[in-house]
Structure formats: structure tokens, C-alpha cells
Amino acid sequence: METTTGIPPWPSAEPQYANVRLRAFRDTDVGMAMELAQDKYVPTVGSLPARASHGQALEWLEQQRQRHAAGTGFSFAVADAETDRCVGQIGLWGWELQHGRAQAGYGIMPTARGHRFAANALRALLEFAWTIPELHRVEAYIEPWNTASIRSAELAGFAQEGLLRSYMEISGQRRDLLIYGAVRGHEG
Ligand SMILES: CC(C)(COP(=O)(O)OP(=O)(O)OC[C@H]1O[C@@H](n2cnc3c(N)ncnc32)[C@H](O)[C@@H]1OP(=O)(O)O)[C@@H](O)C(=O)NCCC(=O)NCCS
């Protein structure tokens, strides 16, 4: 079943895996957004302004909530399954449902790193992705230096498929990106 924007419905049950639950963002997650905006890398690859103010962070949370209604993808708060505290963000984007694929993107706030939240959020995201019958492939694009992200993708069952040379500009420089893929029916 599709919405009027052509994107599948928001999940009726919150996707969960191990220590992670994926839920909609709330204004009370503003502290997470402000902390994530302090990260040197996150603002260079997404829409969160560097060193976002309280107001900018609230605006960013509202943008995340609007993404599904706009048909551009799913942006989930990564919540600690035990406390419900928001520790990061994960999205399923680049909606190419006619080709059966979408992209994953994620970030965990610096003080919550080291607990495999990203790997487990990816697992939960994939479990949700495979409930969408048209979807067969989820991709992640990762810079070769980003060991924490590579390890997270691999822990979640993504496989490295190749190096996309000079794939995009990040912070004014052409960058190579590794492409990782997870494929329905080949769960790791
Ligand atoms: C990538 C990111 C989301 C991972 O956060 P996290 O879930 O807290 O990840 P963890 O710190 O638990 O690390 C995951 C794994 O990578 C390993 N790892 C982390 N940094 C590492 C490093 N520098 N060298 C080797 N291994 C490393 C960890 O040991 C862990 O593996 P293990 O549990 O088997 O020991 C987080 O670093 C982040 O938000 N980075 C900035 C945004 C970003 O790069 N997003 C992804 C874009 S593709």
C-alpha cells in the first residue's frame, strides 16, 4: 500500500533491534540534534547546520518529521530501547522504489557512541525495509576512512561492493566512497 506521495506508510510498530528502537522525532530530542551538530563530519554530509542553535535544531527536527509526508523518505530517531532517550538519527532515503532500492544514512551523537547503536539501528531499519514488498536493496555510501561506519554496516549485514571514485564533493573536495549493499534474502 502506498500513500498519495508514492512512499510506503510509516511503520505501524516501531522497528526494534537489540538496544535500539526507531521512532518519530519529538521536540524533546533537541539536545541530541544540538550535540550531533557539534560533530565535525555530520553537518558536512547532511542538512543539520554545524553547531546548530536550539532554534535551528528544532527546525531540523521538524524537517525530519516532514520528510515522510513530503515523500522523500523515512527519518527516524534512534532511541535507546531501554530509556527511550534519543541518541541519533537514521534515514531511509533516495526513494527509487520503481527500481526496488533505497539508501541508508545515520549518525550517533558523540557521547552515545561505542554501544553499537548504529549497527543495531541499521538492523532495525533493514527489518522494516524488508516489510516493503517493492524494496530489494538498501545501499550505504561510506568514506574509506570511516572505520566506525564501515564496521557498523558490516555488523548489520551489509557487504562491500566497490569503490566509487570521485563520487561526490564533501567540504569542497571530491571524495571516493565505498558502496555497501544489503539485499533481501541475503541477510548476514
Ligand atoms: C558511524 C557512527 C554512526 C557509529 O556510531 P556507533 O554506533 O556509536 O559505533 P560504535 O562506536 O559502537 O562502533 C561500531 C564498531 O566500530 C568499531 N570502531 C569504531 N571506531 C573504530 C576505529 N576508529 N577503528 C576500528 N574500529 C572502530 C567499534 O569497535 C565497534 O565494533 P565492535 O562493537 O565490534 O567493537 C558514528 O561514529 C557517527 O555518528 N559518526 C559520524 C557520522 C557518520 O560518519 N555517519 C555515517 C556516514 S556513512
Side-chain angles (χ1 to χ4, degrees):
M1 188 178 63
E2 291 189 0
T3 62
T4 47
T5 53
I7 195 169
W10 190 261
S12 50
E14 291 170 343
Q16 293 200 30
Y17 189 88
N19 59 352
V20 158
R21 180 165 53 236
L22 307 185
R23 59 162 171 80
F25 279 108
R26 306 176 188 137
D27 281 355
T28 47
D29 299 330
V30 67
M32 184 287 298
M34 289 180 77
E35 200 197 302
L36 201 56
Q38 297 291 329
D39 184 82
K40 278 211 284 287
Y41 187 58
V42 172
T44 67
V45 288
S47 57
L48 184 62
R51 298 173 298 282
S53 65
H54 190 268
Q56 286 174 316
L58 280 175
E59 229 169 83
W60 180 80
L61 291 172
E62 179 57 22
Q63 284 167 17
Q64 303 316 300
R65 286 190 288 258
Q66 291 305 322
R67 282 181 188 271
H68 185 253
T72 52
F74 296 80
S75 181
F76 293 103
V78 177
D80 182 322
E82 224 169 87
T83 62
D84 201 37
R85 183 177 76 120
C86 179
V87 295
Q89 181 265 342
I90 190 163
L92 196 61
W93 320 116
W95 218 246
E96 297 182 289
L97 214 49
Q98 73 277 28
H99 301 299
R101 55 183 186 246
Q103 278 174 38
Y106 43 90
I108 300 296
M109 64 180 185
T111 57
R113 290 180 190 162
H115 304 280
R116 291 190 172 180
F117 281 129
N120 294 333
L122 276 168
R123 287 265 187 197
L125 191 79
L126 284 180
E127 282 185 18
F128 164 58
W130 304 145
T131 67
I132 301 169
E134 300 92 329
L135 207 51
H136 292 272
R137 175 180 165 80
V138 177
E139 300 175 343
Y141 294 77
I142 308 178
E143 289 198 65
W145 57 262
N146 198 344
T147 316
S149 184
I150 288 171
R151 177 89 181 118
S152 300
E154 289 176 347
L155 281 167
F158 283 74
Q160 193 186 122
E161 297 176 334
L163 182 70
L164 303 168
R165 293 176 303 152
S166 190
Y167 188 68
M168 64 186 284
E169 193 174 304
I170 299 174
S171 301
Q173 273 187 337
R174 297 299 306 176
R175 304 283 178 106
D176 296 344
L177 287 173
L178 291 167
I179 180 161
Y180 275 81
V183 172
R184 181 192 290 279
H186 293 79
E187 288 81 5

